[in-house]
Amino acid sequence: MEEEKQHLNAYLKQHGLKKSVQRERILEVFLDIENHLTAEELLEHVKKKYPEIGYSTVYRSLNLMVKAGLAKVVDIGDGSARFEHAFRHGEHDHLICERCGNLIEFKDPRCKPIIDEVAEQKKFVVKRHRLDIFGICNDCIDKTEEE
Amino acid sequence: MEEEKQHLNAYLKQHGLKKSVQRERILEVFLDIENHLTAEELLEHVKKKYPEIGYSTVYRSLNLMVKAGLAKVVDIGDGSARFEHAFRHGEHDHLICERCGNLIEFKDPRCKPIIDEVAEQKKFVVKRHRLDIFGICNDCIDKTEEE
DNA sequence: CTCATTGCAAAGCCTTTGCATGGAG
DNA sequence: CTCCATGCAAAGGCTTTGCAATGAG
């Protein structure tokens, strides 16, 4: 938490930007939640603790955090961007439940080499990748069976 | 082309929907273009040949084609959905150039087994996946070097 | 005849932006 | 003091929807 705040402050200083209570508070709320939240969901949580913070500040802070490397956008294609922690969190991919919308993270060491090889073949310089597996998560399967 | 039309008509009949000139024409234009187009880009092409067709019809037909399995949505995260041919086109993934926005398709047989195994471990039922590799395509690298 | 489709304009949804006020450096 | 940040409301970009008129089955 402290480390993230320092990281943010360093970023702000480096870019001639200024600290603010709002930014710090939004970061705190964001870090407190381990889920992949939409901006609106984060906004709700922020409003609960700090009702005076406006929604554009949340959007702006979120974008800032992405630029600063503290957050990452996850786009599951439902219209709203989700945000996940990016600081000291390793690379990973997602299982996305089409029923409940939940995201499960996973890592598999075999992916990267394949990606690099494919790119090599196409003479493509890889910056990043995303592997999303869509389907139904275990919880939702159980629920279906109970019916 | 004829096969796709038949497929569409079969879908329409099956669902109590009706044929229309517009739908057929939009499908034709769509099939004529091998690129991954946004709705707006497709609309432009449609308008060139058939100026009387409205944009909402293009959107609606595109959605219809997706449901009918003739088109697939590709979301590269820039705000606009792109559409690719899905009928008699095998599964594949994408290299996405962050500079020119071009999509390069690729297939690698090693992906699926990994995905299935990961899902198995997490007791997740896979419906589909998407592997997108973002970076700079060969053309754009060449352009950079020329400068 | 009945019900789906069309084209237009309007609305929806998420996100960004303009502007005046307030605050950090 | 100088700019940046904030909060509000307004605008933006893409897509969907309501509605009256048209057209397919």
Side-chain angles (χ1 to χ4, degrees):
Chain A
M1 181 73 142
E2 280 317 308
E3 217 169 314
E4 280 89 347
K5 286 188 186 176
Q6 280 172 29
H7 186 81
L8 178 62
N9 289 334
Y11 179 90
L12 293 174
K13 185 166 257 176
Q14 241 178 12
H15 292 256
L17 306 173
K18 290 169 181 173
K19 293 187 202 175
S20 81
V21 228
Q22 289 91 332
R23 281 177 179 164
E24 184 150 335
R25 286 177 173 165
I26 292 169
L27 178 60
E28 280 170 18
V29 175
F30 174 67
L31 293 175
D32 263 357
I33 302 166
E34 279 297 335
N35 288 350
H36 300 73
L37 298 183
T38 63
E40 204 190 326
E41 286 163 350
L42 180 62
L43 176 64
E44 276 176 43
H45 287 276
V46 169
K47 282 279 188 191
K48 254 180 225 161
K49 276 193 159 178
Y50 312 106
E52 68 286 358
I53 295 184
Y55 72 89
S56 35
T57 305
V58 171
Y59 273 98
R60 284 193 272 234
S61 299
L62 234 17
N63 288 339
L64 180 69
M65 280 156 48
V66 171
K67 281 189 206 140
L70 287 162
K72 241 184 186 164
V73 179
V74 186
D75 184 350
I76 70 171
D78 68 342
S80 304
R82 270 141 235 272
F83 297 84
E84 66 181 15
H85 300 176
F87 194 65
R88 292 185 294 165
H89 283 240
E91 292 247 323
H92 60 262
D93 293 296
H94 296 110
L95 293 152
I96 302 170
C97 180
E98 292 180 327
R99 202 159 294 169
C100 67
N102 229 44
L103 298 192
I104 303 162
E105 301 183 357
F106 75 91
K107 281 181 211 193
D108 194 297
R110 290 168 292 178
C111 291
K112 201 72 134 282
I114 297 175
I115 289 167
D116 290 339
E117 195 184 301
V118 168
E120 169 87 43
Q121 270 174 32
K122 304 276 186 180
K123 305 197 191 264
F124 190 91
V125 179
V126 181
K127 297 283 186 190
R128 62 197 168 87
H129 77 271
R130 106 186 136 182
L131 170 55
D132 295 322
I133 304 176
F134 294 87
I136 315 290
C137 75
N138 195 29
D139 290 356
C140 287
I141 296 167
D142 290 349
K143 275 178 206 153
T144 310
E145 284 167 358
E146 283 165 20
E147 281 159 21
Chain B
M1 179 73 142
E2 279 318 309
E3 217 168 314
E4 279 90 347
K5 286 189 188 177
Q6 281 171 30
H7 186 81
L8 178 61
N9 289 335
Y11 179 89
L12 293 175
K13 185 166 259 176
Q14 241 177 11
H15 292 257
L17 306 173
K18 291 170 181 174
K19 293 187 201 175
S20 82
V21 229
Q22 289 92 330
R23 282 177 178 163
E24 184 149 336
R25 286 176 174 168
I26 292 169
L27 177 60
E28 281 171 16
V29 174
F30 174 68
L31 292 174
D32 263 358
I33 302 167
E34 279 297 334
N35 288 350
H36 299 74
L37 298 183
T38 62
E40 203 190 326
E41 286 163 353
L42 181 62
L43 175 65
E44 277 177 44
H45 287 275
V46 169
K47 281 278 188 192
K48 256 181 222 160
K49 274 193 160 177
Y50 312 106
E52 69 286 356
I53 295 184
Y55 73 88
S56 35
T57 305
V58 171
Y59 272 98
R60 284 193 272 235
S61 298
L62 234 16
N63 288 339
L64 180 69
M65 280 155 50
V66 171
K67 280 187 207 143
L70 287 161
K72 239 185 189 164
V73 180
V74 187
D75 184 350
I76 69 170
D78 68 342
S80 305
R82 269 139 236 274
F83 296 85
E84 65 181 17
H85 301 176
F87 194 66
R88 291 186 295 166
H89 282 241
E91 291 248 323
H92 61 262
D93 294 295
H94 296 109
L95 293 152
I96 302 171
C97 181
E98 292 182 326
R99 201 159 294 170
C100 66
N102 229 45
L103 297 193
I104 304 162
E105 300 183 356
F106 75 91
K107 281 180 212 196
D108 193 296
R110 290 168 293 179
C111 292
K112 201 71 133 282
I114 296 175
I115 289 167
D116 291 339
E117 196 183 301
V118 168
E120 169 87 41
Q121 271 173 32
K122 305 276 186 178
K123 309 203 188 259
F124 190 92
V125 179
V126 180
K127 297 284 184 187
R128 63 198 168 86
H129 77 270
R130 108 186 134 178
L131 170 56
D132 295 323
I133 304 175
F134 294 87
I136 315 290
C137 75
N138 195 30
D139 290 357
C140 287
I141 297 168
D142 290 351
K143 275 177 204 154
T144 310
E145 283 168 356
E146 282 165 18
E147 281 161 21

